[in-house]
Amino acid sequence: GGKTPEETVQMFIAALRANDDHAAAQLFLLDDTMSRTKWEKRLTDLKAQGILVQMADDIEKNAKETKPSYEGDAGYELLNDDGTVGAIIDMEFNAFSGVWKLQSF
């Protein structure tokens, strides 16, 4: 992850643009089993569908920062053309590593 939420999102966009599902998955927090398997599988499936670059375009074009709920929280909403929320990116500051990681997408 990055030192700021913005840097983490830019790293995610770059990994998606590079069609690098593995690098994109590494930007997520570890789950309760200390794994990123869920994200690796999801991103691999999206890569097989050929939509990682489109996802990067959508994030870059439509992501709007949301107000944090608590210290160490950050997020973005991806708005549809009609202004409704199509997806949410949640992020959390990892105090152990000192970087922001994606929590969900």
Side-chain angles (χ1 to χ4, degrees), residues 21-79:
D21 53 323
H22 180 72
Q26 296 306 305
L27 295 169
F28 283 86
L29 288 169
L30 294 170
D31 65 18
D32 294 338
T33 64
M34 302 303 287
S35 169
R36 293 186 180 94
T37 303
K38 169 178 93 171
W39 296 111
E40 290 169 355
K41 180 179 178 347
R42 183 171 180 200
L43 289 161
T44 298
D45 290 346
L46 294 170
K47 180 179 179 177
Q49 295 173 40
I51 61 173
L52 292 184
V53 174
Q54 180 62 48
M55 285 176 56
D57 291 344
D58 289 345
I59 294 168
E60 199 166 62
K61 178 182 165 192
N62 300 317
K64 305 295 180 215
E65 192 170 1
T66 61
K67 185 177 177 181
S69 299
Y70 54 89
E71 188 174 337
D73 172 60
Y76 291 83
E77 295 177 333
L78 277 67
L79 304 178

Side-chain angles (χ1 to χ4, degrees), residues 9-22:
V9 168
Q10 290 305 313
M11 293 169 74
F12 188 54
I13 289 170
L16 295 174
R17 267 200 208 299
N19 224 17
D20 191 341
D21 53 323
H22 180 72

